Amino acid sequence: MKNKIKIYGEKVLRMKGEDVKNGEEVKNIVSEMMVILKEINGLGLAAHQIGKPLNLFIVNFDLFEKGKGIKEFINPKLLYYEGEETMEEGCLSIPEFYIEIPRPKKIFMEFFDLNMNKNFITAEGLLARVLLHEYDHINGILIFDRLKEDERKIIIARWKKLWKKKEEKNLK
């Protein structure tokens, strides 16, 4: 399933997501995303990362508190944020690469579930970071975009070199 995840450079990762009209139309996509997320033991996954440019992502709340499960976020909107903290961050679409990214410490977000019920969440720390990371994906933003331009060019070149070596090694 890992090979279903789109890698940096694929156009879908740069697309703005389309709003989901009803939960029924994305039930199968959410199920597929949940299987992938469990398989890789990830924190979150955006529909863009499996080639579907929709305003949809999922987050594995079990990694924050056992028994909470994986939750879907449909058509989310960031309503409020405050503070800032910098932490190391990775991305399934930019494998094996971690960079320091500043993000708000606390957020308030609106979203819909599969039944199209409106929900709200307040999150801090790592959970806020995960929600913002996935929210960026549905807006065509990647962690590289959170860097200053000169730093971004260096980091992207470094990742491309690392990724090329890994691909060459896998071909042998």
Side-chain angles (χ1 to χ4, degrees):
M1 283 282 186
K2 283 183 193 177
N3 63 351
K4 282 195 157 223
I5 294 179
K6 302 299 176 189
I7 302 300
Y8 176 77
E10 296 192 47
K11 288 180 182 168
V12 69
L13 295 173
R14 292 301 191 176
M15 297 171 75
K16 284 234 178 224
E18 293 178 27
D19 277 345
V20 173
K21 305 284 186 276
N22 67 64
E24 274 302 310
E25 71 185 59
V26 294
K27 268 190 176 164
N28 290 339
I29 295 169
V30 169
S31 294
E32 179 184 357
M33 290 170 67
M34 287 182 175
V35 169
I36 293 168
L37 193 63
K38 284 177 187 172
E39 180 184 283
I40 60 178
N41 200 30
L43 291 170
L45 183 67
H48 285 63
Q49 291 177 282
I50 63 163
K52 314 279 188 211
L54 299 168
N55 286 333
L56 165 68
F57 63 81
I58 61 172
V59 173
N60 188 350
F61 279 77
D62 271 343
L63 296 176
F64 296 95
E65 188 178 341
K66 279 286 178 222
K68 292 291 183 181
I70 297 174
K71 293 190 184 350
E72 70 276 357
F73 290 74
I74 297 173
N75 302 336
K77 287 186 178 37
L78 181 62
L79 302 176
Y80 172 81
Y81 62 91
E82 69 179 38
E84 187 179 283
E85 65 183 352
T86 299
M87 289 175 62
E88 193 174 70
E89 200 168 311
C91 179
L92 297 171
S93 294
I94 306 169
E96 299 178 26
F97 205 76
Y98 300 87
I99 49 180
E100 296 281 321
I101 303 290
R103 293 212 185 257
K105 274 186 181 181
K106 185 176 183 178
I107 65 164
F108 183 63
M109 187 177 275
E110 169 190 292
F111 65 98
F112 294 88
D113 60 24
L114 279 174
N115 297 317
M116 297 312 281
N117 294 316
K118 187 184 282 191
N119 294 274
F120 297 93
I121 186 169
T122 300
E124 296 184 54
L126 181 59
L127 179 55
R129 178 170 293 276
V130 172
L131 292 168
L132 289 169
H133 179 102
E134 301 309 329
Y135 187 75
D136 275 356
H137 273 300
I138 66 172
N139 287 293
I141 299 168
L142 299 170
I143 56 174
F144 290 149
D145 301 322
R146 296 287 172 200
L147 300 170
K148 293 178 183 147
E149 190 174 343
D150 55 339
E151 187 181 11
R152 183 181 324 133
K153 288 177 184 176
I154 293 166
I155 295 293
I156 289 172
R158 216 179 274 159
W159 179 79
K160 283 181 177 179
K161 185 176 179 182
L162 175 82
W163 190 245
K164 185 178 179 186
K165 280 183 186 176
K166 182 177 170 66
E167 284 184 321
E168 287 170 357
K169 185 178 175 185
N170 287 340
L171 291 174
K172 290 179 183 179

